[in-house]
């Protein structure tokens, strides 16, 4: 029976790169996302290598998530790795200027969606037991605050603490949990955050060397395929050219 990896948000960025990485290693794929045409294209690309099961899915919808997992075909139920990748950032402006709906969208996707999928898939992971893995995509924003981070950073702090608490609850089951926290990475992330502002995205990455989606996919694969007695609790990854800044000081003119 093939190992199966279940990836949310597989239509772009880290999720799509992770699907390709696991496919290269012979894992069967369960891929979900909201854009069916992209899932179909990815399935068509990878189906010659490994079995692929896709489904258009909004992780915010608990009942839809539960049904999708319940309906997994028999060959895709041996889930050895869950990659909770679906998430987004919106409104990179001061909190006092944010539309409340953007906050709700981030909470519903980054927090509610994460727990919906984890709760639904966990029984399958527990059946595998030793060597099974949950990899949650956090962010350096969950550890290090910055202007405009507001609810996004707070939601990724939830991812970190939820991952740690899962580790405690799953002690003795053999199921591992990792919070992977990327720094600056060039994907569609900034385009989504700025609602399609290509100039803003280009400006962020201009003149430096950010991480790539493939860089993060390689680390996801690494932590999910370590010997079964090894658990990476949290892996924070920045490009070499990114570091922390001094404290901001408000001074009199």
């Amino acid at each position: 029976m093939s190992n199966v990896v279940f990836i949310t948000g597989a239509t772009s960025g880290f999720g799509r790169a992770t699907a390709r990485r696991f496919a290269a290693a012979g894992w069967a794929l369960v891929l979900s996302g909201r854009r069916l045409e992209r899932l179909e294209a990815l399935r068509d690309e990878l189906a010659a290598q490994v079995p692929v099961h896709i489904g258009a899915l909004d992780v915010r919808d608990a009942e839809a998530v539960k049904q999708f997992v319940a309906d997994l075909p028999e060959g895709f139920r041996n889930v050895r790795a869950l990659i909770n990748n679906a998430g987004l950032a919106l409104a990179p402006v001061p909190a006092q200027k944010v539309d409340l709906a953007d906050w709700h969208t981030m909470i519903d996707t980054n927090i509610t969606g994460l727990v919906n999928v984890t709760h639904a898939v966990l029984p399958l992971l527990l059946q595998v037991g030793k060597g099974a893995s949950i990899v949650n995509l956090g962010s350096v924003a969950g550890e290090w605050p910055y202007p405009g981070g507001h609810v996004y950073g707070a939601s990724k702090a939830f991812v970190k603490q939820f991952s740690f608490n899962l580790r405690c609850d799953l002690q003795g089951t053999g199921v591992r949990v990792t919070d992977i926290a990327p720094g600056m990475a060039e994907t569609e992330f900034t385009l989504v955050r700025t609602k399609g502002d290509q100039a803003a995205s280009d400006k962020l990455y201009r003149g430096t060397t950010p991480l790539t989606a493939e860089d993060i996919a390689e680390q996801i694969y690494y932590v999910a395929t370590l010997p079964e007695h090894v658990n990476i609790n949290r892996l924070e990854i920045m490009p070499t050219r990114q570091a922390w800044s001094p404290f901001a000081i408000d001074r009199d003119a």
Side-chain angles (χ1 to χ4, degrees):
M1 183 180 295
S2 298
N3 289 325
V4 177
V5 59
F6 188 121
I7 305 172
T8 66
T11 56
S12 65
F14 301 154
R16 183 168 59 193
T18 300
R20 290 168 173 158
R21 180 63 184 89
F22 277 84
W27 288 55
L29 308 175
V30 175
L31 307 177
S32 73
R34 289 189 294 171
R35 292 172 287 189
L36 181 60
E37 70 284 355
R38 288 198 178 193
L39 289 173
E40 291 172 338
L42 190 57
R43 178 194 59 197
D44 293 346
E45 173 191 337
L46 300 176
Q49 296 176 250
V50 293
V52 183
H53 178 73
I54 64 170
L57 183 66
D58 186 339
V59 296
R60 298 174 295 181
D61 186 336
E63 286 304 312
V65 169
K66 182 178 178 180
Q67 194 63 53
F68 179 72
V69 174
D71 292 343
L72 286 176
E74 188 58 38
F76 293 93
R77 301 189 65 81
N78 186 45
V79 178
R80 192 173 182 86
L82 167 62
I83 315 302
N84 276 315
N85 171 69
L88 79 169
L90 296 171
V93 295
Q96 60 271 29
K97 297 182 179 180
V98 174
D99 186 329
L100 181 60
D102 286 339
W103 277 2
H104 286 170
T105 298
M106 287 186 280
I107 292 168
D108 291 345
T109 306
N110 300 351
I111 296 177
T112 305
L114 171 71
V115 300
N116 287 344
V117 175
T118 302
H119 191 270
V121 179
L122 191 53
L124 300 181
L125 293 160
L126 289 169
Q127 288 178 16
V128 172
K130 290 182 179 180
S133 300
I134 299 171
V135 180
N136 295 325
L137 267 293
S139 170
V140 296
E143 184 77 16
W144 310 106
Y146 61 87
H150 40 77
V151 164
Y152 176 70
S155 72
K156 293 304 182 178
F158 174 91
V159 173
K160 179 181 74 170
Q161 197 61 36
F162 182 59
S163 300
F164 290 172
N165 288 341
L166 275 177
R167 280 275 288 124
C168 295
D169 290 342
L170 295 175
Q171 176 74 3
T173 68
V175 178
R176 306 177 290 190
V177 186
T178 300
D179 169 32
I180 288 190
M184 178 186 285
E186 188 169 7
T187 65
E188 292 181 10
F189 177 87
T190 300
L191 277 178
V192 172
R193 192 173 200 190
T194 60
K195 299 185 177 178
D197 188 340
Q198 185 66 54
S201 179
D202 292 343
K203 181 180 179 182
L204 177 64
Y205 304 118
R206 185 180 301 126
T208 191
T209 310
L211 299 170
T212 67
E214 289 72 25
D215 293 330
I216 300 303
E218 190 62 38
Q219 297 309 307
I220 292 170
Y221 179 77
Y222 167 72
V223 301
T225 55
L226 285 166
E228 64 185 31
H229 68 286
V230 180
N231 189 108
I232 302 295
N233 296 328
R234 186 170 189 269
L235 185 57
E236 185 176 285
I237 311 164
M238 286 184 178
T240 305
R241 299 180 72 180
Q242 181 184 24
W244 306 275
S245 296
F247 287 112
I249 308 296
D250 180 27
R251 301 184 186 278
D252 296 332

